[in-house]
Amino acid sequence: MDKVRIGIIGTGFIGNVHGRIYSREERAVVSALYDIVPERAERTARSIGGRVCSSRDELLDNCDAVLVCTPNKTHTEIASAAVAAGKHVFCEKPFSIGIDDARRLLDIANGGSGVFQVGHNRRFAPVYAKLKEFLADDKAHSAHIKMNRGELKNPVWTGDVNVTGGFLYETTIHLFDMMRFQFGEIEELIAYGSQHEYPELDEFSIIFKFKSGFHCTFASSSDASWHFPFERIEVFAHHRTIMTEEMERILDSRGMDANFETLTFHMTEKEERWGYVQEDRAFIDSILTGTPPPVSALDGFKSVELVESVYASIRSGERVRF
Ligand SMILES: NC(=O)c1ccc[n+]([C@@H]2O[C@H](COP(=O)([O-])OP(=O)(O)OC[C@H]3O[C@@H](n4cnc5c(N)ncnc54)[C@H](O)[C@@H]3O)[C@@H](O)[C@H]2O)c1
């Protein structure tokens, strides 16, 4: 294969992030764009090139790999059609909405001929790669995790539970995947939730126990503020506290005093600081070398399973065991 021809479905915010990255990638070319609002695809084409397609089928005829960058509720259907057309697929998070659709998409992805990668970009962010490196040399005991938003208004569909599947699917799922990446598989959880500003549960407190014996508390609100850091993992190990602050920096305090070292990434370009450049490069690597993608359909499925289990625990008031 000369260059991987990339087709982007959904040329809104994240479609343009990936589009800009692939326009600079020498092993790929942005060949086709499709959006149900044609002006959006036209605007993207003016900045990074690519053929503006008037249907999804036209797009599928003009690319090797499809990026699914549309709102959550459309992922299963669009990603399934792309697999059926024999394409490599990069599906933005969430993998799917609802356990039945997630299982269906997992089967379809596993039966496909190409690579299927899910857009859990944070795994590639330098802050979280560093945390994983630290934890490889030290045994973490427990953690406190937070993932908040200031609002569910931008883009407008983020406040519509029929489109997102729920706040946990839209935002919190990022750190659900991160927990598995850092701390392994989960054994059980119990969750509490309440509703305040939006017509859905918008505030969550969860306790997770992992198969390794590790455990953590997790707070997530869609109605707090964007106060820095809206996303943080504090990990506790033997005489050690490691704390991440969004994708900006990681603080490492070792020993019995209060001193700490800070690694900061604020000078790293945002698309790299948030891991988008690296995940896009990894997708091309997998396509060209035939190696499994670093974030698989199964990883996507498991993050959906966690979301559904948290909602189920809140509904029943019971623990969920895996
Ligand atoms: N990984 C991340 O950090 C990250 C960041 C933002 C968004 N996302 C995810 O990416 C997806 C898109 O989010 P966004 O912020 O770019 O939204 P957006 O509203 O900015 O863009 C979505 C685009 O999809 C188009 N669209 C809608 N339905 C379509 C369809 N059936 N066919 C073709 N085009 C369609 C819309 O017209 C719009 O241009 C969501 O699932 C979101 O959760 C991931």
Side-chain angles (χ1 to χ4, degrees):
M1 187 182 296
D2 240 7
K3 285 188 179 212
V4 179
R5 295 174 308 148
I6 303 283
I8 307 177
I9 304 186
T11 53
F13 166 69
I14 204 72
N16 277 284
V17 169
H18 294 299
R20 279 195 300 275
I21 293 167
Y22 282 117
S23 72
R24 302 192 299 260
E25 164 65 61
E26 55 190 24
R27 298 171 301 163
V29 58
V30 178
S31 62
L33 307 166
Y34 172 63
D35 195 293
I36 44 166
V37 182
E39 302 80 62
R40 294 198 182 144
E42 281 155 17
R43 198 181 323 133
T44 300
R46 281 197 294 279
S47 74
I48 60 165
R51 168 188 179 131
V52 176
C53 301
S54 54
S55 69
R56 192 167 79 196
D57 286 345
E58 185 186 342
L59 177 131
L60 293 173
D61 285 341
N62 286 282
C63 66
D64 308 306
V66 175
L67 314 185
V68 181
C69 297
T70 50
N72 308 1
K73 75 162 182 197
T74 62
H75 290 183
T76 304
E77 202 264 316
I78 296 176
S80 302
V83 173
K87 307 298 166 184
H88 304 288
V89 178
F90 175 91
C91 179
E92 258 307 338
K93 46 59 63 175
F95 176 65
S96 187
I97 294 176
I99 206 69
D100 294 341
D101 271 9
R103 205 162 275 130
R104 196 155 54 84
L105 183 55
L106 180 62
D107 287 345
I108 289 169
N110 286 342
S113 55
V115 170
F116 195 109
Q117 185 172 322
V118 183
H120 285 297
N121 57 298
R122 277 162 172 76
R123 289 190 182 205
F124 304 86
V127 157
Y128 289 123
K130 199 39 115 179
L131 177 61
K132 193 154 174 72
E133 204 181 296
F134 285 163
L135 294 180
D137 307 331
D138 217 340
K139 187 169 163 30
H141 301 160
S142 68
H144 178 58
I145 303 178
K146 172 180 87 170
M147 178 122 207
N148 284 352
R149 278 181 76 112
E151 37 64 33
L152 288 178
K153 295 183 187 302
N154 183 26
V156 283
W157 58 261
T158 55
D160 183 348
V161 68
N162 296 315
V163 178
T164 61
F167 166 62
L168 295 180
Y169 276 110
E170 183 42 34
T171 301
T172 321
I173 198 167
H174 274 299
L175 288 200
F176 283 0
D177 175 71
M178 183 53 59
M179 284 191 311
R180 288 188 55 247
F181 179 59
Q182 299 288 354
F183 310 123
E185 296 300 339
I186 287 151
E187 188 169 282
E188 63 179 58
L189 64 85
I190 184 148
Y192 303 91
S194 53
Q195 192 232 320
H196 303 272
E197 173 67 6
Y198 299 101
E200 59 167 306
L201 292 174
D202 52 17
E203 195 95 20
F204 298 83
S205 300
I206 315 162
I207 302 176
F208 291 97
K209 182 171 165 238
F210 291 68
K211 293 200 192 306
S212 64
F214 181 86
H215 46 90
C216 71
T217 54
F218 195 124
S220 192
S221 169
S222 57
D223 181 34
S225 75
W226 289 110
H227 174 68
F228 180 87
F230 59 78
E231 162 180 344
R232 179 172 62 200
I233 300 184
E234 276 182 273
V235 187
F236 313 112
H238 178 58
H239 291 313
R240 189 171 191 187
T241 299
I242 308 168
M243 187 163 79
T244 64
E245 294 183 327
E246 293 177 25
M247 267 60 75
E248 301 302 307
R249 57 185 180 233
I250 182 164
L251 289 71
D252 185 16
S253 170
R254 307 183 75 157
M256 283 183 277
D257 59 26
N259 293 326
F260 61 90
E261 291 176 347
T262 308
L263 257 167
T264 175
F265 297 95
H266 73 278
M267 293 299 284
T268 303
E269 183 209 9
K270 174 159 183 195
E271 287 167 358
E272 197 169 329
R273 196 171 359 118
W274 282 53
Y276 297 122
V277 172
Q278 300 89 321
E279 74 174 344
D280 289 347
R281 203 180 292 141
F283 183 50
I284 299 295
D285 288 344
S286 289
I287 293 172
L288 294 178
T289 61
T291 51
V295 190
S296 66
L298 183 61
D299 290 319
F301 173 83
K302 291 209 167 198
S303 61
V304 171
E305 188 177 48
L306 279 176
V307 167
E308 285 300 322
S309 303
V310 169
Y311 282 124
S313 174
I314 294 167
R315 278 195 303 272
S316 68
E318 306 273 330
R319 277 184 236 195
V320 173
R321 294 194 171 81
F322 292 87

